[in-house]
Amino acid sequence: MIASSLALVLAACGGTPAEDSAAEPAAGSAAADIPESLAPFGDGYPGPGAPCRRLGESPATSSYLDDSAVLVGCPDEASAEALGGTIVSNVDGVRLVSIPTGDANAGMGENGPAAAADTSPAKAAAAKIRGPGGLEEKCLAQVNEVTGGGATGVNRISESEAAIEIYINVAGAEAPWRCLAYRDGTIGEVMYTGSEGAL
């Protein structure tokens, strides 16, 4: 009888630590380390079970919220840096990370032309017009190839959004030759601008 009572007590004691150890990770999980003052929500970010959590609006987060970004709270530096956003603050040991949504404004008509305007100067800078290796030099070479080496110099250059027209004087020609060049550095058609009968 004493032996069976002792076995019962030992079995009960054996079960308790196992239950406690199962409960401990849940209580000590990283997601639980985000204080309620930061208005955390969701089961983890970027996916369920992740240590970081999305943050809502609260007095502690309001100055970091942005329509074009997601605000996330991470319990440590490593998990914050892994998200790839910008760490904007550290509140009560929680790293606040602002992650741009990227295409949050996709489909809005106002934003399309602005993006196009931003990329045009970069393309123009990539293909210079004058100087060594520029469009002017490429056009002179192209006209020389077509005319057998008669190009004497540039007459004028006319720029538009679509292309750059470079007019080149050729020895013996009554009108200049036109070379169509593009901002990506390629050369299009080369043609005589005068009457073909005069060639």
Side-chain angles (χ1 to χ4, degrees), residues 64-147:
Y64 305 106
L65 292 172
D66 184 349
D67 289 342
S68 62
V70 172
L71 189 63
V72 179
C74 295
D76 55 53
E77 200 76 22
S79 58
E81 288 176 356
L83 295 178
T86 303
I87 299 175
V88 293
S89 186
N90 189 332
V91 177
D92 297 331
V94 176
R95 280 72 174 173
L96 304 191
V97 185
S98 180
I99 303 167
T101 53
D103 60 351
N105 297 323
M108 298 177 96
E110 299 171 12
N111 295 321
D118 290 343
T119 56
S120 305
K123 285 186 181 175
K128 60 182 179 176
I129 297 170
R130 291 188 165 82
L135 296 173
E136 182 181 32
E137 187 178 88
K138 289 180 180 180
C139 280
L140 279 166
Q142 192 77 20
V143 170
N144 268 330
E145 188 178 313
V146 173
T147 63

Side-chain angles (χ1 to χ4, degrees), residues 114-186:
D118 290 343
T119 56
S120 305
K123 285 186 181 175
K128 60 182 179 176
I129 297 170
R130 291 188 165 82
L135 296 173
E136 182 181 32
E137 187 178 88
K138 289 180 180 180
C139 280
L140 279 166
Q142 192 77 20
V143 170
N144 268 330
E145 188 178 313
V146 173
T147 63
T152 59
V154 174
N155 179 297
R156 71 181 187 277
I157 296 174
S158 177
E159 293 184 52
S160 71
E161 258 185 65
I164 298 160
E165 295 176 317
I166 300 176
Y167 293 86
I168 296 173
N169 293 328
V170 174
E174 293 179 354
W177 283 70
R178 186 190 73 164
C179 172
L180 199 59
Y182 299 98
R183 297 187 185 278
D184 64 359
T186 58

